[in-house]
Amino acid sequence: MLARAIREGIGHDDRTLHPQMWSAAFSKLPDEDVAAIVVYLRSLPAIRNALPRTHLTLSQKFRFNTMPEPILDARPQPSFATPKERGEFLEYAADCAGCHTDWYHPGSAVNGQLFAGGNLINAPTGENIFSPNLTPDPSGISYYDENLFLQVIRTGKVGARKLHGVMPWAFYRSMSDDDLKAIFAWLRSQNPVRHIVDNTEPPTFCRLCLQKHGGGERN
Ligand code: HEC
């Protein structure tokens, strides 16, 4: 029941869960990994905290009900030939591309270009933060090396600047060196896409993603 909720997005009562339950990213997790998560969940102390049921609009129900895909086969532990392959798997579960890609402006030059940045993240604190470009282009993170990448993910800082908390580095910081290096290898293998997104600059119109973000006018 738990595994189904985690990987398929179906609740204990057979209800389709709201996609804020990020099961799409967890769908490729192998059986053993999901079993480990379930064991961990079962080890947590029970806390009494009754919450109201989720109410969806008819249109939400219609859209969400068509999203989950059943997992019918066994998912064995994958074996990876290269760090890049391992990185692709880890990145999928961590959903870096979900945030670091502009998905919502069909027809714009960078729409759907993986890791090219420009996705608006509304912080609970009210600020509008845009995800930066992680591709190996000079406007992305071409200047990164493995060590800098590990340092940024472990400290949440780029140089002296603290990254905004919407970049969930704190959740990624305890990954092993090998796992983080694998994710970096995957990022390095991506197409370079030119798209300057700099949250330290004032928001200006960007002709590549058709939004107003830091450094937009330089595109
Ligand atoms: C919930 C959205 C979200 C997710 C998921 C996410 N990021 Fe980010 N990330 C951001 C945002 C927004 C920023 C910019 C924060 C700022 O400028 O203060 C950022 C910044 C970064 C930076 C700093 C780039 C620079 O300018 O030097 C790196 C590196 C990075 N993310 C890598 C990753 C990796 C790798 C993953 C997956 C393991 C990931 N991010 C997942 C939103 C996200």
Side-chain angles (χ1 to χ4, degrees):
M1 207 181 261
L2 278 168
R4 197 161 168 240
I6 295 169
R7 285 193 303 195
E8 297 171 58
I10 303 289
H12 65 94
D13 47 4
D14 286 342
R15 181 171 58 91
T16 305
L17 300 174
H18 190 292
Q20 277 299 327
M21 164 58 202
W22 227 240
S23 30
F26 309 140
S27 61
K28 293 187 183 169
L29 289 179
D31 299 337
E32 277 296 316
D33 285 354
V34 181
I37 294 172
V38 171
V39 169
Y40 172 72
L41 285 176
R42 287 291 189 225
S43 77
L44 297 173
I47 297 174
R48 189 179 164 77
N49 184 22
L51 293 163
R53 271 184 79 88
T54 301
H55 285 291
L56 302 177
T57 63
L58 199 62
S59 122
Q60 280 177 322
K61 274 187 195 158
F62 184 75
R63 274 182 295 131
F64 300 165
N65 278 342
T66 59
M67 290 163 75
E69 295 196 6
I71 296 177
L72 303 168
D73 49 341
R75 297 264 150 112
Q77 211 66 17
S79 61
F80 303 112
T82 59
K84 196 181 100 181
E85 278 180 20
R86 181 185 169 93
E88 179 180 13
F89 169 83
L90 291 168
E91 180 280 317
Y92 196 87
D95 201 23
C96 316
C99 275
H100 282 273
T101 307
D102 172 28
W103 301 104
Y104 302 111
H105 303 89
S108 83
V110 294
N111 190 70
Q113 301 252 27
L114 287 185
F115 300 105
N119 199 10
L120 170 61
I121 318 283
N122 301 114
T125 39
E127 305 106 305
N128 290 340
I129 322 282
F130 282 84
S131 61
N133 180 351
L134 300 184
T135 72
D137 189 76
S139 62
I141 55 167
S142 59
Y143 69 100
Y144 269 51
D145 60 13
E146 263 184 358
N147 287 334
L148 178 59
F149 180 72
L150 261 67
Q151 193 186 315
V152 170
I153 301 291
R154 294 252 154 87
T155 62
K157 281 185 186 165
V158 178
R161 179 171 169 262
K162 213 168 169 309
L163 289 174
H164 193 282
V166 291
M167 161 60 199
W169 60 274
F171 294 94
Y172 306 139
R173 68 179 304 186
S174 331
M175 284 193 202
S176 70
D177 283 10
D178 281 351
D179 284 350
L180 286 176
K181 285 177 184 172
I183 292 181
F184 187 65
W186 174 242
L187 286 178
R188 266 295 181 258
S189 74
Q190 301 298 306
N191 282 335
V193 182
R194 193 184 132 73
H195 187 210
I196 298 166
V197 180
D198 186 342
N199 287 314
T200 65
E201 293 180 28
T204 46
F205 182 74
C206 167
R207 65 185 184 85
L208 295 179
C209 69
L210 313 177
Q211 304 169 90
K212 275 176 93 174
H213 62 70
E217 67 189 348
R218 292 203 278 136
N219 289 314

